[in-house]
Amino acid sequence: MGRRSPYPAEFRNDAVALYRAAGGKRTYAAVAADVGVTGETLRSWVRQADEMVGRDNSRGGEPG
């Protein structure tokens, strides 16, 4: 497993929300600079959040 993030989950979630609120008008690097992380770190958080949404949606069960 990877190492534990030094950033609290709420901070990571807020950073992801800020990036998404930009609606594609700002780059990862620009939003990341605003919150004090690297662009690659923010990109990773967004990817992880997308994976979590996919997992949550798949738990809903099969329509039936």
Side-chain angles (χ1 to χ4, degrees):
M1 240 191 236
R3 58 176 196 231
R4 184 173 162 89
S5 174
Y7 300 100
E10 184 177 7
F11 177 83
R12 294 190 310 264
N13 293 338
D14 288 349
V16 169
L18 186 62
Y19 171 76
R20 289 184 173 153
K25 294 179 179 151
R26 299 187 69 208
T27 64
Y28 286 109
V31 175
D34 288 348
V35 297
V37 299
T38 67
E40 188 54 39
T41 295
L42 179 59
R43 184 187 331 266
S44 173
W45 293 347
V46 170
R47 189 174 331 126
Q48 289 170 5
D50 289 345
E51 289 172 1
M52 291 300 291
V53 168
R55 281 188 223 133
D56 289 345
N57 287 340
S58 68
R59 288 185 197 166
E62 294 294 320

